Amino acid sequence: MRVLGALPNATRTATLYGLSKRAYNGTLYYEDKTFSARGSVSYRSPYIDGSSATGNLFEGYDSTLNVGVV
């Protein structure tokens, strides 16, 4: 195997579109002989989707929380 050199040490200062600072997911399961249940929760913090077509500098989205029970 040939090594071409070390990875560059660089810092990204531009906006990363579509990336949230925080995202969490969780699921709980329960099951016995007569009953079973599942519950899931997911959270995503606000993020910027890209340049806006409406004249704004950025087009962004608020945080989201999704809950599902089966």
Side-chain angles (χ1 to χ4, degrees):
M1 185 166 114
R2 192 173 133 190
V3 178
L4 298 176
L7 295 174
N9 185 10
T11 302
R12 173 114 177 142
T13 58
T15 300
L16 297 174
Y17 297 120
L19 182 67
S20 295
K21 287 188 178 185
R22 290 179 261 334
Y24 305 104
N25 297 293
T27 301
L28 295 175
Y29 297 93
Y30 175 81
E31 185 173 356
D32 63 21
K33 291 182 181 181
T34 59
F35 180 76
S36 64
R38 181 183 73 202
S40 297
V41 175
S42 64
Y43 169 79
R44 181 179 185 178
S45 65
Y47 64 97
I48 296 172
D49 193 29
S51 298
S52 173
T54 60
N56 296 325
L57 183 57
F58 295 113
E59 190 75 29
Y61 296 94
D62 205 359
S63 60
T64 58
L65 177 66
N66 300 303
V67 179
V69 178
V70 177

